[in-house]
Amino acid sequence: MIGGILLAAGASTRMGVPKQLLRWGETTLIEWEIKELILAGVTCPVVVLGNNSSEIMKAMTGLDCIVVENAQWQEGRSTSLRAGARALLEVAGTDSCYESVVIQNVDQPTTASIIRALVAELASTGAALVQPEYSDERGLPHGGHPVILKGQLINELQEVTEEGEGLRQIVKSYGSKRLNMSDEPIVKINLNTPDLVDDARSLFRFNNDSDI
């Protein structure tokens, strides 16, 4: 079984509007991402909400996912990781039910095909953690998204802290196996500000005439 945590609790301060509700094709960004996780084989993704949770939940009606409201979202992303990990364990009862876990940020959309490739890489290499790698303009390598963890690391996800830099805490402990995806510019998208949205939509072949 493949688990998944979609982190969507932030305030979208620099975007000016909730990122979760950005128009994405014919739907909202958060709905599109949930559907891609399910297409990739994720069983009932856990979606962690915080700011504007009641408004965002209206856009998620009828989706096969588990919604967790993180009352501590303002204390940092690690609180959402912990909340998501707890929810995964509550569903399955044990981490041994999960072969892998997809960790995705709502402002870093990806596709089902990219997720499947990363999950397959994790399974074939026996790595503890896999993420895409891309090269910048100078040819220097960088880690992309999403990150895929072995299911046994769910318990460690419950222990991450802001002081330990959240998910980086686990990356530092186990290292990451990187899959070269320099031909997939999607793996480096980070929707922080409005000026980045149109270019990101273009990568997914969406029209740019949607309201932000």
Side-chain angles (χ1 to χ4, degrees), residues 184-197:
E184 288 279 11
I186 285 170
V187 303
K188 56 184 176 180
I189 291 174
N190 200 345
L191 297 173
N192 285 323
T193 53
D195 59 294
L196 301 174
V197 175

Side-chain angles (χ1 to χ4, degrees), residues 5 78 81-82 85 101 103 127-131 147-161 164-177:
I5 301 173
S78 63
L81 282 168
R82 295 197 299 267
V101 178
I103 308 295
L129 184 152
V130 169
Q131 68 184 126
V147 173
I148 316 295
L149 305 178
K150 264 189 172 179
Q152 291 91 329
L153 294 180
I154 294 175
N155 283 312
E156 297 199 29
L157 272 180
Q158 292 188 97
E159 305 298 327
V160 296
T161 64
E165 299 182 272
L167 189 57
R168 288 180 184 155
Q169 193 171 318
I170 296 177
V171 175
K172 287 177 180 177
S173 295
Y174 293 92
S176 66
K177 170 72 172 66

Side-chain angles (χ1 to χ4, degrees), residues 75-89:
E75 297 175 22
R77 190 167 293 176
S78 63
T79 65
S80 291
L81 282 168
R82 295 197 299 267
R86 285 194 299 270
L88 284 177
L89 286 177

